[in-house]
């Protein structure tokens, strides 16, 4: 049976803080936790391959520091244009880790709606998957976006890998603590124009706690996320799986690891579909 979460944002303060709660963002403290759990960090998988949980968490922290060096400020909106994939989650967690607000620009939206969402939220930076780089450049021409960072290589964009380079001045700034003015921005196109909804850090953390209680994930679980469901729930569920050491399968066409079956799905609310010890 499903989890039964409401479609709105969760209310802050509905659970008591725990020692292993995220700090500042959904991945704040995750890197330290996984370093203390060698071999139990799980993986996140996409169409192009797999990444272990510790490497993923460390990349979020490095990239967040890189965005800070490029002038991203607390509360700034950054567009994320990518299909459901590890890149999309990496981009959103990176923005939130540095105190920004991630605007999920849905690939299935038409260009006019995408452009209107970026303009309405005053986004100046856009993170895009390599296959959508051309669309990102088109949107930049029609909005206030001034810089495009691409997972891969595309003319006229900056490679995401550049965010991971060491600070040239030795700045040891760590963005993973105390940034509570962050979150996720979603939008819809209405007759009155673009309507945006902000899911704050506290909203996302409340959803994280609800999912933890309802699903009781373990390191043996395989969690599948695709286009079904809402983005706030996807972000909370993937973060929870990483904190738990579970395997995340991200994307419509990404199979689970060989010999294992999916045990939790977003359909559209997260639902347990199998016992990880018995298969599907």
């Amino acid at each position: 049976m499903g989890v039964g979460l409401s479609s709105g944002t969760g209310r802050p303060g509905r659970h008591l803080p725990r020692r292993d709660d995220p700090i500042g963002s959904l991945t704040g403290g995750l890197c330290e936790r996984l370093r203390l759990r060698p071999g139990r960090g799980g993986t996140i998988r996409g169409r192009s391959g797999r990444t272990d949980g510790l490497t993923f968490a460390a990349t979020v922290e490095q990239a967040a520091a890189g965005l800070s060096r490029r002038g991203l400020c607390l509360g700034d909106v950054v567009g994320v244009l990518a299909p459901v994939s590890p890149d999309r989650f990496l981009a959103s967690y990176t923005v939130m880790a540095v105190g920004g607000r991630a605007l999920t620009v849905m690939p299935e939206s038409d260009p006019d709606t995408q452009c209107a969402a970026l303009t309405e939220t005053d986004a100046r930076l856009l993170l895009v998957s390599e296959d959508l780089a051309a669309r990102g450049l088109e949107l930049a021409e029609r909005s206030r976006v001034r810089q495009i960072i691409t997972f891969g290589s595309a003319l006229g964009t900056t490679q995401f890998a550049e965010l991971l380079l060491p600070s040239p001045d030795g700045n040891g700034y760590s963005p993973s603590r105390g940034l509570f003015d962050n979150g996720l921005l979603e939008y819809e196109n209405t007759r009155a124009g673009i309507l945006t909804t902000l899911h704050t850090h506290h909203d996302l953390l409340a959803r994280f706690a609800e999912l933890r209680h309802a699903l009781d994930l373990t390191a043996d679980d395989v969690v599948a996320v695709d286009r079904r469901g809402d983005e706030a729930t996807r972000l909370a569920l993937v973060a929870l799986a990483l904190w738990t050491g579970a395997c995340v399968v991200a994307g419509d066409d990404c199979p689970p690891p060989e010999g294992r079956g999916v045990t939790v799905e977003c359909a559209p609310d997260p639902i347990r579909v199998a016992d990880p010890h018995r298969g599907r």
Side-chain angles (χ1 to χ4, degrees):
M1 57 185 296
V3 171
L5 295 178
S6 64
S7 58
T9 58
R11 295 180 181 177
R14 293 178 63 186
H15 66 285
L16 294 176
R18 291 170 36 149
R19 290 178 57 192
D20 56 351
D21 269 348
I23 304 169
S25 72
L26 287 177
T27 57
L30 175 59
C31 204
E32 292 89 338
R33 173 179 170 84
L34 295 183
R35 285 195 182 105
L36 296 174
R37 294 161 53 93
R40 299 286 289 177
T43 59
I44 181 166
R45 295 168 177 262
R47 187 173 50 186
S48 59
R50 61 181 288 279
T51 303
D52 67 88
L54 178 56
T55 298
F56 185 88
T59 302
V60 169
E61 292 199 359
Q62 287 177 283
L67 283 182
S68 176
R69 290 194 297 271
R70 289 174 176 269
L72 187 71
C73 298
L74 192 70
D76 282 353
V77 176
V78 177
V80 176
L81 175 61
V84 176
S85 62
D87 285 348
R88 178 151 143 183
F89 296 115
L90 178 58
S92 296
Y93 294 143
T94 294
V95 172
M96 291 191 287
V98 77
R101 296 176 176 182
L103 171 72
T104 305
V105 182
M106 307 305 291
E108 55 269 29
S109 293
D110 63 88
D112 289 341
T113 300
Q114 293 171 335
C115 182
L118 290 166
T119 302
E120 178 70 22
T121 56
D122 197 28
R124 306 299 177 95
L125 178 66
L126 183 62
L127 291 162
V128 303
S129 56
E130 188 172 23
D131 58 324
L132 292 173
R135 172 62 62 85
L137 289 167
E138 175 189 338
L139 293 173
E141 290 291 328
R142 301 174 54 193
S143 69
R144 297 172 185 171
V145 170
R146 293 296 173 264
Q147 185 175 12
I148 299 174
I149 297 177
T150 308
F151 291 92
S153 178
L155 188 65
T157 71
T158 299
Q159 292 187 36
F160 183 84
E162 291 190 20
L163 298 180
L164 310 181
L165 297 175
S167 171
D169 59 4
N171 185 346
Y173 170 72
S174 173
S176 62
R177 292 289 183 271
L179 301 175
F180 292 97
D181 193 28
N182 57 21
L184 168 72
L185 272 171
E186 292 187 293
Y187 66 88
E188 59 179 312
N189 196 4
T190 70
R191 291 183 178 179
I194 296 294
L195 175 64
T196 60
T197 301
L198 173 64
H199 303 272
T200 67
H201 167 75
H202 294 288
D203 295 333
L204 295 172
L205 186 56
R207 191 164 298 196
F208 178 100
E210 290 176 354
L211 290 170
R212 178 170 54 194
H213 175 74
L215 296 172
D216 195 24
L217 293 183
T218 73
D220 295 315
D221 276 304
V222 177
V223 179
V225 288
D226 53 29
R227 287 180 293 176
R228 295 175 294 175
D230 64 277
E231 189 70 3
T233 298
R234 275 191 290 268
L235 284 175
L237 178 59
V238 171
L240 175 62
L242 292 170
W243 279 83
T244 307
C247 171
V248 177
V249 177
D252 295 330
D253 54 357
C254 180
E258 185 176 355
R260 299 177 66 184
V262 170
T263 60
V264 173
E265 295 180 345
C266 271
D269 286 336
I271 182 174
R272 180 170 287 283
V273 295
D275 183 327
H277 300 290
R278 297 179 59 185
R280 296 198 69 173

